[in-house]
Amino acid sequence: MKKVICSVFILCGVFVLSQDNVKKDTVEQSKTEEIQEVILKSQRKKQFADKAVYTFDKEALEKARYAKDLLKTLPELQLDPVSNTLKSIKGGTTLFLINGIEATDMQIRSVQPGEVIKVEYYDIPPARWASRADTVINLLTRSSETGYVFGADLTSSLTTGFVNGSAYANYTKGKNDFGLEYSINLRDYSNRIVHSIYDYHLGGEHYRSDEERKDHFGYTYQNLALRYTRQVPDNYAFQAKLNLDILNSFFKGNGQSMFTKDDLSEEHQMLKNGGSDYVTPTLDLYFSKNISKKDELSLNVVANRFTTNTSEFAKEWIISSGQSVFDNDMNLKAKQTGFVGELAYTHDFETGKLSSGYRVSNTSISNDLQNLSGFSEYSVNYLEQYIYSEFAGKIKKFNYRIGAGLINIHNKSAENTFDEWSFVPKLVLGYQLKNNQSIRFTSSYKPKSPWSAALSSNVVQLAPNIVQRGNPFLTAQQTWTNNLIYSFNNKHFDFNANLFYHYTNHTINQFYVMGTALGGYALTYENAQNSKQYGAFLTGSYKPFGNSLLVLKAVISPTSETVRTSNGALIKNDYIGNNFVLSSEYKSFSLEYQINIPVYSLSGAFLVINENQNHVFARYKHKEWTFSTGMYWIGMPSEYKTKSLKESLVNYSRVGQIMNNKSMLVLGLSYDFSKGKKTDLQRKLNNSTAPAATF
């Protein structure tokens, strides 16, 4: 595996280095006013230690409907046609900002292309975002005194329950800005085929459960947001945002299984129904004050309180006799309160910028639970404190960012209390080899708290003699991350080669254990000794004609990963991650094709394959109207595979296929209108409370 990684990296390095004779196509570090003057001439990129800065040419600005279309042209971003949102082709969590404030997809749509000054692409997020996202994209725009924008879009399948819809409106007058957004994602699939096998030995006997099930499942997710912003330039800014998330999900399945115990076989019938729902009102308040020309103080408070209802009813019985094998009736009512507060201070020196802050987040959950173990009431509380400070600067061709912090994780459940302080250092170094080439190194260390489902004491029946439960005694895991990144760009290429090494101590790992209180096996969690992941990320885009007429985006990632379990067993897996996007734009027409080759990666006690892609979609723009169509999962259903490791006590495999979206044809229509300009808040703090707690 090491030879493969090194060979690929060397070959790609030789290839891009051979382009040295190409004229430079980068912009020197300059003030915003200077960037505004050049954006109409050509598209440019400037690479810094922790980010790349992009500006856009006149052709790109004229073709784009809104800022979202500009972001889609970045080499490591692509449009996910299924959710109609932007994401990184490398995977992970992506956070979008507009002038430093966390932005939704519709907020990005509300920004007109001509208002975009530049885009900051952080593949190494600063301290205040590092614990929340793997990639941060900050859209910097002009602001003015008045204007309004509004728009709506709808995309729907012709053959099944698939709908994406949204509407937005913004109005600015003087120093005040009002915004309103609504979105809905509806899925209603009546034909999901699931084939599962459990094979294990228990009490000296061999058991095998071979299940075939057909599911009807779906969900409706809605979001409603209302914003008010008041900004007095060079003085203060205030924003109040009320956000409402609404989710209703369901699943209904029935099927048969062949249950074998040694040489005896019997046919079983099964059913499995359930669902979850919540309404999450969240209040987000932000205030920043310019103390002086070089000093700024910011405060952000986010709070919510809501109830999540989760239910599951599963039953299996012998067909011939009607005798029950198991009955699983689980009902969970979780009353959840979340709070996040952050105070930050920044100071600009002649040699760089100092950023410091303190953030505290607390999630309290009160559970009323009815399951296989009976009825119980218990409460849990997750508290995290984060104190950080970092300095970013430049010395000649060197860019650097040095940061340090302290994180305190205090988790309290009915069975256990965990409290730990961790030192969190971070180092980012960058060196400009040439005007269009750079090399960067980053090293960081940070802990991660177990999630609520992993800590839960809830018990759910999966199959005869098999249950699933959490582990309240889990502790946090700590990850040390190192990256060596080479970047190259010109008119035709934008390329990054990243050699990475990640080491995680006390890895939170899922596995099967024997001898539970209910008999048989339990799928639960442990703190393994450690895990390692190393390899290369080769990403970028190629424009053979130097424009958007034809663009190829690709990521190839040979990776090796290992886990050392608590009992010393070594689990190893190698794979070559990949993703490819081919797109073309000509006048008002655009066409895009996405494909990948799914691969297995480690996920606790299992190897899990990533979702397959084989999508094509096209659009035509006419004034404020955009007409679109596409076909997703061409010639195949979406497929999801899981299989257990050879070291597992239970040999498990699962193949799920959603037949409804095989060669799914969709049609879309959108309308976007703007007049004048709007004021955008230069917000420096962005937080969110914990997601709804389910099992």
Side-chain angles (χ1 to χ4, degrees):
M1 185 65 191
K2 293 180 180 178
K3 293 181 179 179
V4 173
I5 294 172
C6 294
S7 299
V8 172
F9 183 76
I10 292 171
L11 286 173
C12 292
V14 171
F15 173 71
V16 295
L17 285 172
S18 65
Q19 308 296 321
D20 287 352
N21 59 342
V22 181
K23 292 183 179 180
K24 66 178 182 178
D25 193 25
T26 59
V27 61
E28 296 299 325
Q29 187 177 14
S30 57
K31 296 180 180 179
T32 301
E33 291 78 11
E34 295 172 329
I35 294 178
Q36 292 176 354
E37 297 301 321
V38 303
I39 60 175
L40 297 180
K41 297 180 181 179
S42 61
Q43 184 169 1
R44 298 174 181 266
K45 174 188 177 183
K46 175 65 177 179
Q47 183 68 60
F48 296 90
D50 59 348
K51 66 183 178 182
V53 177
Y54 290 89
T55 56
F56 301 93
D57 57 21
K58 182 179 180 181
E59 180 184 6
L61 296 173
E62 290 177 345
K63 285 184 177 181
R65 295 168 292 172
Y66 32 63
K68 182 177 176 180
D69 287 344
L70 296 177
L71 294 181
K72 192 177 67 173
T73 66
L74 269 60
E76 292 186 354
L77 290 182
Q78 73 175 67
L79 179 69
D80 178 6
V82 180
S83 63
N84 194 31
T85 57
L86 291 168
K87 66 179 184 180
S88 170
I89 62 176
K90 298 188 298 182
T93 303
T94 302
L95 179 65
F96 292 94
L97 315 171
I98 298 177
N99 295 325
I101 177 175
E102 186 171 345
T104 64
D105 182 80
M106 284 177 288
Q107 284 178 268
I108 298 173
R109 285 181 55 190
S110 69
V111 178
Q112 295 303 297
E115 304 307 310
V116 176
I117 299 172
K118 60 181 178 178
V119 172
E120 296 176 332
Y121 181 89
Y122 290 90
D123 55 354
I124 307 171
R128 63 177 179 268
W129 299 312
S131 62
R132 299 185 52 211
D134 303 289
T135 304
V136 176
I137 293 93
N138 187 24
L139 187 70
L140 297 173
T141 68
R142 299 179 179 88
S143 61
S144 68
E145 293 301 315
T146 186
Y148 60 87
V149 295
F150 60 87
D153 76 88
L154 180 67
T155 300
S156 178
S157 170
L158 302 178
T159 57
T160 190
F162 177 94
V163 177
N164 290 331
S166 64
Y168 67 92
N170 272 81
Y171 175 70
T172 301
K173 185 173 180 60
K175 301 179 178 63
N176 303 293
D177 177 78
F178 302 87
L180 178 65
E181 303 171 10
Y182 173 76
S183 66
I184 182 171
N185 300 100
L186 183 146
R187 304 292 185 267
D188 191 346
Y189 293 135
S190 61
N191 189 10
R192 176 175 63 176
I193 306 299
V194 180
H195 181 209
S196 302
I197 296 176
Y198 292 89
D199 193 296
Y200 53 93
H201 288 82
L202 185 64
E205 297 175 311
H206 176 231
Y207 292 82
R208 180 182 175 90
S209 180
D210 194 331
E211 306 174 358
E212 190 80 34
R213 190 175 73 245
K214 182 178 180 180
D215 290 341
H216 178 199
F217 80 101
Y219 64 86
T220 302
Y221 173 75
Q222 302 175 80
N223 174 263
L224 179 65
L226 179 65
R227 295 187 316 277
Y228 167 71
T229 304
R230 178 172 175 83
Q231 184 173 16
V232 179
D234 301 320
N235 189 356
Y236 73 88
F238 170 78
Q239 183 182 75
K241 180 178 179 181
L242 180 62
N243 190 76
L244 197 66
D245 290 321
I246 306 171
L247 175 72
N248 298 96
S249 65
F250 71 91
F251 61 89
K252 300 176 182 179
N254 58 76
Q256 294 183 333
S257 75
M258 181 61 69
F259 183 73
T260 304
K261 179 180 178 182
D262 288 335
D263 296 329
L264 301 177
S265 298
E266 54 191 26
E267 293 186 2
H268 290 186
Q269 190 81 21
M270 66 181 64
L271 65 85
K272 188 174 184 179
N273 302 330
S276 183
D277 65 80
Y278 60 77
V279 178
T280 309
T282 301
L283 180 63
D284 185 341
L285 300 176
Y286 172 82
F287 179 78
S288 67
K289 173 69 175 178
N290 292 336
I291 303 173
S292 68
K293 290 184 178 181
K294 295 184 178 182
D295 298 270
E296 184 181 43
L297 193 65
S298 303
L299 175 67
N300 183 213
V301 176
V302 183
N304 62 20
R305 182 177 177 83
F306 62 101
T307 300
T308 301
N309 294 292
T310 304
S311 64
E312 180 177 311
F313 178 72
K315 182 178 181 180
E316 186 168 329
W317 66 94
I318 302 172
I319 295 178
S320 59
S321 65
Q323 180 183 347
S324 176
V325 177
F326 69 78
D327 285 281
N328 175 43
D329 191 359
M330 188 273 289
N331 289 278
L332 174 63
K333 185 176 183 179
K335 297 178 181 179
Q336 185 167 330
T337 301
F339 171 83
V340 179
E342 183 171 6
L343 182 66
Y345 167 77
T346 61
H347 179 80
D348 292 324
F349 294 92
E350 292 184 2
T351 56
K353 185 175 184 178
L354 175 68
S355 301
S356 301
Y358 168 76
R359 181 171 71 238
V360 57
S361 63
N362 189 82
T363 301
S364 179
I365 306 173
S366 176
N367 298 280
D368 293 342
L369 175 63
Q370 176 72 49
N371 62 12
L372 293 171
S373 301
F375 179 78
S376 63
E377 294 180 342
Y378 66 96
S379 298
V380 294
N381 194 85
Y382 310 122
L383 173 68
E384 182 174 304
Q385 300 180 78
Y386 180 33
I387 305 170
Y388 62 88
S389 184
E390 66 177 9
F391 185 84
K394 182 178 181 181
I395 303 175
K396 295 183 179 179
K397 290 186 177 183
F398 281 98
N399 290 278
Y400 64 91
R401 177 152 56 88
I402 302 174
L406 286 173
I407 290 182
N408 171 241
I409 296 175
H410 184 91
N411 294 334
K412 184 178 181 180
S413 67
E415 294 87 357
N416 186 42
T417 298
F418 171 76
D419 186 272
E420 182 179 80
W421 285 90
S422 299
F423 177 63
V424 187
K426 187 162 190 175
L427 174 66
V428 180
L429 301 174
Y431 181 75
Q432 196 78 18
L433 298 173
K434 294 186 178 181
N435 287 326
N436 63 342
Q437 297 181 57
S438 66
I439 189 167
R440 296 175 289 157
F441 172 75
T442 174
S443 182
S444 63
Y445 175 86
K446 65 179 180 181
K448 180 182 178 181
S449 179
W451 48 99
S452 59
L455 289 168
S456 173
S457 57
N458 192 11
V459 181
V460 175
Q461 190 88 42
L462 300 177
N465 303 315
I466 307 288
V467 299
Q468 179 181 353
R469 58 177 171 81
N471 179 4
F473 298 94
L474 287 176
T475 61
Q477 64 181 30
Q478 301 86 26
T479 301
W480 180 41
T481 302
N482 298 275
N483 298 276
L484 181 63
I485 309 168
Y486 169 79
S487 300
F488 168 87
N489 74 284
N490 62 18
K491 184 178 180 181
H492 300 280
F493 291 93
D494 195 322
F495 173 80
N496 290 288
N498 180 3
L499 289 177
F500 63 89
Y501 174 80
H502 302 161
Y503 177 88
T504 302
N505 195 34
H506 300 149
T507 307
I508 299 172
N509 184 51
Q510 197 175 29
F511 73 127
Y512 285 101
V513 295
M514 184 188 295
T516 69
L518 299 171
Y521 292 92
L523 179 62
T524 186
Y525 297 86
E526 69 165 358
N527 282 109
Q529 292 185 25
N530 59 67
S531 64
K532 301 176 184 178
Q533 189 180 60
Y534 59 89
F537 258 115
L538 308 174
T539 63
S541 66
Y542 172 57
K543 301 178 180 179
F545 304 108
N547 54 34
S548 59
L549 183 62
L550 184 64
V551 181
L552 172 65
K553 295 182 181 181
V555 55
I556 300 175
S557 178
T559 302
S560 181
E561 52 187 359
T562 62
V563 175
R564 180 75 68 176
T565 66
S566 59
N567 61 12
L570 181 65
I571 301 170
K572 191 175 188 299
N573 180 56
D574 298 329
Y575 65 90
I576 301 179
N578 62 92
N579 190 47
F580 304 95
V581 179
L582 185 65
S583 64
S584 177
E585 289 188 10
Y586 178 72
K587 295 184 178 179
S588 298
F589 292 90
S590 66
L591 181 69
E592 186 164 317
Y593 176 64
Q594 300 178 0
I595 190 171
N596 70 351
I597 302 173
V599 294
Y600 282 102
S601 60
L602 278 175
S603 178
F606 309 103
L607 289 169
V608 179
I609 206 167
N610 57 314
E611 185 181 72
N612 53 318
Q613 292 185 54
N614 192 24
H615 315 316
V616 63
F617 49 100
R619 78 162 191 253
Y620 172 72
K621 177 187 175 185
H622 179 68
K623 296 182 179 179
E624 288 85 16
W625 294 91
T626 301
F627 306 87
S628 60
T629 185
M631 181 173 287
Y632 306 155
W633 292 286
I634 302 171
M636 64 181 72
S638 60
E639 191 171 62
Y640 312 89
K641 296 181 180 180
T642 301
K643 60 182 181 181
S644 58
L645 302 163
K646 62 181 180 179
E647 296 85 359
S648 177
L649 295 175
V650 176
N651 185 11
Y652 169 76
S653 65
R654 183 183 188 275
V655 178
Q657 294 180 316
I658 304 177
M659 307 306 296
N660 299 86
N661 55 28
K662 178 181 180 181
S663 300
M664 182 172 63
L665 179 66
V666 299
L667 295 177
L669 177 66
S670 68
Y671 178 81
D672 300 275
F673 180 82
S674 68
K675 184 177 181 180
K677 304 173 183 177
K678 73 178 195 311
T679 299
D680 288 303
L681 172 63
Q682 301 269 350
R683 177 169 167 171
K684 307 301 180 183
L685 299 178
N686 309 277
N687 292 288
S688 61
T689 54
T694 59
F695 187 77

